[in-house]
């Protein structure tokens, strides 16, 4: 099922690294989205009826297709994003890992659950909770990981029995069409469709879906949630981040430096959970900075093969990065590497290490989404935690220390959805754990084991009798005396546990 009918408007998609045409896309007429969604709803009924085991077989075929077409996907990904081959290689394997996990666990996760009675005298009832898929899940994905962000939630929604309506970023629409082709080529039913376009396309997806999974900026996420509220459509939002790293005085400095450079520069810094600011205890500050500068000077910037990281998505994103660096330098910071916007073609910005920074600077308080690494010296762990929490964001963070228990204690003081100890970004690989943010970094979570599937479901409780005895004791057809006796007995039994616990 295609969601890109022949409409009058479309666009050339340009490679931000070279300016070359990566491909053409036709925008979806927003007025056509209700028809597309109606088709998904029809197909979803049969998809749900296949059961978890039947859907798992289809998802397995799709995972195999992803593996077999990885080179083709990554070539197109590089063309529309300007990524390095190193960074582009991360997306397809992540999707295959997610699919593999759900193929293994989805039948058990979605099976009806029996629940015990809350009190012994209520055990005359059998309680079962069923997980029924929401018919159409709208997935609105950003441009920084066009493949992974589009389907890491899409695979879970499909596993749950939903149909998915995909809305890729208008900046990176090409790989979405290829992923849809793979779904069809895998022999899958028509429970995946694409809507192409910008703001009006997003609005149409929100207005016609039964659940919204949005990944993007905090400002846009708030608008999506506001629009979804008009129809009481539930949402899950994974939004911006300003992830802190804390380096304690007993850390393995080389390991911490390697992690900071990769976490800050990976994908040209365009990662929601990238390392955006670093707080280092003064005892190891100089050694850490030297190690970071050493690593950064070895990085190669460029698109495709042979490079560590590539272009930013366009010149507007380079503008943000440059503004943050210029603001920091104007306020007293020093750029030990980079710091100057290069001339020549492509939306590139060099890897930039900033020191002598503080929270008066945008590079420490606003999401940069670029290849910068501001490093701040602190005197105590308490100061590091206070500064790490001094942010409207709360997506994730990291702590480096040779004493893992100590690092764990520090992690529990940080106000964010996940903390990695002696590593960065690794929580994204932990499909059994929830991935979500606090504060303006979002609401809800992706992954989380069974919860990653059940979030796309409505819970239906079925209460059935174990026996006819005891039914109807509080119905109107009973005498007032009988009803009073029933209420007295229920209250007496219900008070037994509180009375014991209150002693």
């Amino acid at each position: 099922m295609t969601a890109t009918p022949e409409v009058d408007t479309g666009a050339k998609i340009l490679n931000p690294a070279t300016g070359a045409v990566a491909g053409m896309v036709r925008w979806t007429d927003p007025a056509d989205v209700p028809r597309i969604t109606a088709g998904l709803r029809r197909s979803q009924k049969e998809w749900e009826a296949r059961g978890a085991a039947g859907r798992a077989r289809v998802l397995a075929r799709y995972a195999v297709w992803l593996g077999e077409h990885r080179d083709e996907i990554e070539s197109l990904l590089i063309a529309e994003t300007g990524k390095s081959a190193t960074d582009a290689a991360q997306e397809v394997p992540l999707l295959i890992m997610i699919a593999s996990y759900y193929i293994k666990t989805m039948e058990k996760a979605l099976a009806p659950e029996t629940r015990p009675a809350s009190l012994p005298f209520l055990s005359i009832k059998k309680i079962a909770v069923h997980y029924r898929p929401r018919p159409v899940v709208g997935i609105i994905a950003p441009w920084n990981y066009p493949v992974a962000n589009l389907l890491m939630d899409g695979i879970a929604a499909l596993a749950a029995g939903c149909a998915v309506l995909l809305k890729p970023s208008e900046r990176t629409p090409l790989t979405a069409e290829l992923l849809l082709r793979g779904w069809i080529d895998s022999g899958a039913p028509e429970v995946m469709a694409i809507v192409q376009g910008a703001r009006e396309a997003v609005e149409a997806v929100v207005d016609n879906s039964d659940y919204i999974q949005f990944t993007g900026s905090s400002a846009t996420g708030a608008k999506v949630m506001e629009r979804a509220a008009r129809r009481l459509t539930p949402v899950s939002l994974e939004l911006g981040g300003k992830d802190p790293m804390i380096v304690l005085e007993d850390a393995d400095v080389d390991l911490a430096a390697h992690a900071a450079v990769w976490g800050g520069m990976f994908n040209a810094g365009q990662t929601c959970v990238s390392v955006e600011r670093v707080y280092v205890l003064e005892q190891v500050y100089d050694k850490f900075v030297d190690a970071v500068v050493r690593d950064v000077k070895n990085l190669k910037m460029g698109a495709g093969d042979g490079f560590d990281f590539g272009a930013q998505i366009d010149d507007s994103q380079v503008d943000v990065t440059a503004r943050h660096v210029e603001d920091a330098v104007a306020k007293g910071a020093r750029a030990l590497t980079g710091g100057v916007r290069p001339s020549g073609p492509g939306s590139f910005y060099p890897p930039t290490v900033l020191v002598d920074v503080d929270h008066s600077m945008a590079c420490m308080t606003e999401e940069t989404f670029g290849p910068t690494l501001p490093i701040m010296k602190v005197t105590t762990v308490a100061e590091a935690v206070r500064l790490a929490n001094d942010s409207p964001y709360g997506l994730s963070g990291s702590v480096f220390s040779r004493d893992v228990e100590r690092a764990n204690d520090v992690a529990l003081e940080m106000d964010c959805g996940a903390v990695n100890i002696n590593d960065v970004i690794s929580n994204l690989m932990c499909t059994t754990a929830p991935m979500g943010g606090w504060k303006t970094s979002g609401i809800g979570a992706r992954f989380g084991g069974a919860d990653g599937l059940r979030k796309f479901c409505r819970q239906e409780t079925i209460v059935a009798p174990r026996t006819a005895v005891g039914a109807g004791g509080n119905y109107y057809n009973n005498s007032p005396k009988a009803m009073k006796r029933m209420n007295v007995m229920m209250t007496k039994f219900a008070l037994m546990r509180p009375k014991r616990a209150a002693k």
Side-chain angles (χ1 to χ4, degrees), residues 66 70 74 88-99 429:
L66 289 170
R70 179 178 172 182
E74 289 173 4
Q90 307 294 316
E91 299 196 40
V92 172
L94 177 61
L95 292 182
I96 294 173
M97 288 169 57
I98 293 167
M429 302 295 181

Side-chain angles (χ1 to χ4, degrees), residues 456-485:
F456 297 115
C457 298
R458 297 165 292 188
Q459 295 183 28
E460 182 177 7
T461 299
I462 307 294
V463 180
R466 294 184 186 276
T467 173
V469 175
N474 55 350
Y475 290 178
Y476 289 131
N477 60 289
N478 291 290
S479 70
K481 287 185 178 180
M483 293 175 66
K484 184 177 181 179
R485 286 196 301 270

Side-chain angles (χ1 to χ4, degrees), residues 113-118 122 125-129 461-464 466:
E113 282 188 330
T114 58
R115 300 287 176 89
S118 56
L122 296 176
K125 299 294 186 181
K126 292 188 293 185
I127 306 167
V129 178
T461 299
I462 307 294
V463 180
R466 294 184 186 276

Side-chain angles (χ1 to χ4, degrees), residues 19-365:
V21 175
M24 297 287 297
V25 66
R26 286 193 174 274
W27 304 135
T28 305
D29 184 348
D32 202 35
V33 174
R35 177 193 64 81
I36 297 167
T37 310
L40 288 175
R41 292 184 191 281
R42 288 191 296 270
S43 298
Q44 184 273 332
K45 293 179 181 178
E46 185 272 332
W47 180 238
E48 179 183 0
R50 291 189 182 206
R55 295 193 298 272
R57 285 191 289 273
V58 178
L59 288 169
R61 292 198 298 269
Y62 190 45
V64 171
W65 183 92
L66 289 170
E68 292 175 345
H69 291 78
R70 179 178 172 182
D71 290 345
E72 181 183 3
I73 296 168
E74 289 173 4
S75 294
L76 184 56
L77 183 60
I78 292 169
E80 73 174 351
T81 64
K83 289 177 185 273
S84 69
T86 301
D87 287 349
Q90 307 294 316
E91 299 196 40
V92 172
L94 177 61
L95 292 182
I96 294 173
M97 288 169 57
I98 293 167
S100 178
Y101 173 74
Y102 284 132
I103 288 165
K104 175 185 176 182
T105 61
M106 55 192 283
E107 189 166 12
K108 182 178 180 181
L110 297 169
E113 282 188 330
T114 58
R115 300 287 176 89
S118 56
L119 293 168
F121 71 87
L122 296 176
S123 59
I124 59 173
K125 299 294 186 181
K126 292 188 293 185
I127 306 167
V129 178
H130 296 254
Y131 296 95
R132 302 283 306 281
R134 299 180 189 276
V136 176
V137 171
I139 297 176
I140 303 168
W143 45 261
N144 59 333
Y145 294 98
V147 172
N149 273 319
L150 196 68
L151 283 183
M152 65 168 60
D153 299 297
I155 288 171
L158 290 164
C162 314
V164 293
L165 186 60
L166 307 176
K167 215 304 287 182
S169 169
E170 66 276 15
R171 292 169 167 176
T172 54
L174 303 178
T175 44
E177 300 282 354
L178 177 55
L179 295 172
L180 174 61
R181 191 198 83 194
W183 180 255
I184 295 169
D185 289 350
S186 299
E190 295 184 342
V191 288
M192 180 188 292
I194 298 173
V195 172
Q196 298 281 23
R199 180 179 59 82
E200 290 183 350
V202 171
E203 292 172 349
V205 169
V206 173
D207 291 346
N208 288 276
S209 300
D210 305 304
Y211 188 97
I212 296 296
Q213 173 67 53
F214 173 83
T215 305
S217 72
S218 299
T220 305
K223 293 176 182 177
V224 166
M225 188 172 184
E226 181 180 2
R227 191 174 186 95
R230 299 177 187 180
R231 297 174 54 244
L232 297 182
T233 302
V235 299
S236 180
L237 309 175
E238 199 257 83
L239 307 177
K242 190 69 180 175
D243 287 10
M245 171 191 281
I246 296 176
V247 182
L248 303 186
E249 78 283 355
D250 63 345
D252 180 332
V253 172
D254 273 338
L255 174 64
H258 296 330
V261 172
W262 181 76
M265 308 303 172
F266 174 63
N267 203 44
Q270 300 171 128
T271 305
C272 57
V273 290
S274 66
V275 177
E276 287 241 352
R277 50 199 171 110
V278 187
Y279 303 98
V280 186
L281 269 292
E282 59 183 352
Q283 296 95 317
V284 293
Y285 175 82
D286 291 337
K287 184 178 179 182
F288 176 82
V289 170
D290 289 344
V292 165
V293 170
R294 174 202 65 204
D295 281 7
V296 168
K297 286 182 176 178
N298 289 327
L299 294 178
K300 296 178 181 178
M301 180 175 67
D305 291 323
F307 298 100
D308 295 298
F309 72 88
Q312 296 195 257
I313 193 63
D314 58 26
D315 284 349
S316 69
Q317 197 60 43
V318 178
D319 290 342
V320 174
T321 306
R323 175 173 62 83
H324 284 193
V325 173
E326 290 162 7
D327 169 77
V329 172
K331 293 175 179 176
R334 292 180 295 132
L336 301 185
T337 66
V340 178
R341 189 171 184 167
S343 58
S347 299
F348 290 97
Y349 195 89
T352 300
V353 178
L354 294 168
V355 295
D356 300 334
V357 295
D358 59 46
H359 278 221
S360 71
M361 303 171 184
C363 70
M364 295 296 284
T365 57

